[in-house]
Amino acid sequence: MCVIETSPVIETRRLLLRAPAPQDVPAIARLANDEAISRNTLRMPHPYGPADAEAFVTDVAAQNPVKANTFLIEHEDLGAVGVIGLFEDGDLAPEIGYWIGRPFWGRGFATEALEGALVWAGKRWRRRALMSGHFADNPSSGRVLEKAGFLYTGEVRRQFSKARGAPVETRRMVWLA
C-alpha cells in the first residue's frame, strides 16, 4: 500500500491554515513587500518581490514535516492574509513565527491563526513546548503571543533581521502545552 503524505490543514473559526501554493505567489509578494512587515521578521528581505515569494513557496514544499511546517493564513472571504510557520532551529523547542499583511492588522487574525497552530502543534505535531520572540520595538507582536498563552522567559537576544540589515533585541517567549 502506498501512503501519500499531505500537508496539514488547520481550520479555525474564520481562517484556513494550509501550505502555500504557486497560485499564492502574487498575494504573498504583495503583502510581504511592505517594510512594516519585513522589518519585524528575521528572514524576510525588503523589498520582497515575486521571485522571493516563489522561492518561499518552493522552500516550504521541500520542508521536512517532522522538523518544519509553514502555512499560508487564508481568510474565508479576504483570501491570503499572512503566513505562520513552525520549525526547529537549534533551540530546545521548535520556534513559531508569523506575519499578517498590514491591511489585516487589528482584526485578530494573528491571534486566531496562532491559537489554531498551537492546538495543532500539541495534538498532531506532538510538541509540548514552542519558542517564539518579538523585536523589542514591536510590542504588538508580544501582546499576540501573550494572548495565545506564551510567557516571557526573561531572555533578550540580539538577532539579525535581514530587512533591517542589523541585529535587533528580541524578547524570547515560551509556550507549554
Side-chain angles (χ1 to χ4, degrees):
M1 175 164 92
C2 178
V3 176
I4 299 173
E5 281 191 39
T6 59
S7 297
V9 174
I10 302 167
E11 292 185 56
T12 69
R13 188 173 64 79
R14 301 175 294 173
L15 305 173
L16 184 70
L17 281 58
R18 61 168 177 80
Q23 66 266 23
D24 300 314
V25 165
I28 293 168
R30 183 181 70 254
L31 292 172
N33 190 31
D34 180 341
E35 191 174 13
I37 303 298
S38 58
R39 73 180 315 274
N40 286 314
T41 70
L42 292 173
R43 295 169 187 83
M44 286 174 60
H46 185 78
Y48 190 100
D52 297 302
E54 287 173 13
F56 168 75
V57 170
T58 300
D59 290 348
V60 169
Q63 285 178 333
N64 175 351
V66 172
K67 295 184 178 265
N69 288 273
T70 302
F71 303 90
L72 179 83
I73 305 168
E74 185 174 62
H75 184 273
E76 59 192 358
D77 297 324
L78 303 171
V81 299
V83 169
I84 190 165
L86 303 94
F87 51 92
E88 294 184 359
D89 71 343
D91 273 321
L92 294 175
E95 180 141 355
I96 189 166
Y98 58 89
W99 60 266
I100 299 292
R102 192 193 314 223
F104 308 110
W105 288 359
R107 299 184 192 192
F109 297 155
T111 301
E112 186 174 332
L114 185 57
E115 289 171 344
L118 292 173
V119 168
W120 175 83
K123 291 184 178 180
R124 300 283 182 217
W125 208 35
R126 304 208 185 284
R127 298 306 197 271
R128 297 292 165 239
L130 291 173
M131 301 300 297
S132 194
H134 68 89
F135 292 157
D137 62 0
N138 182 16
S140 297
S141 190
R143 285 191 294 278
V144 168
L145 291 162
E146 284 179 311
K147 283 191 268 184
F150 278 79
L151 302 171
Y152 283 101
T153 65
E155 179 186 9
V156 177
R157 289 185 189 168
R158 292 193 52 78
Q159 294 184 281
F160 187 82
S161 167
K162 193 171 188 177
R164 295 183 190 206
V168 183
E169 286 193 356
T170 305
R171 298 186 68 199
R172 302 296 295 160
M173 301 179 79
V174 65
W175 171 84
L176 303 170

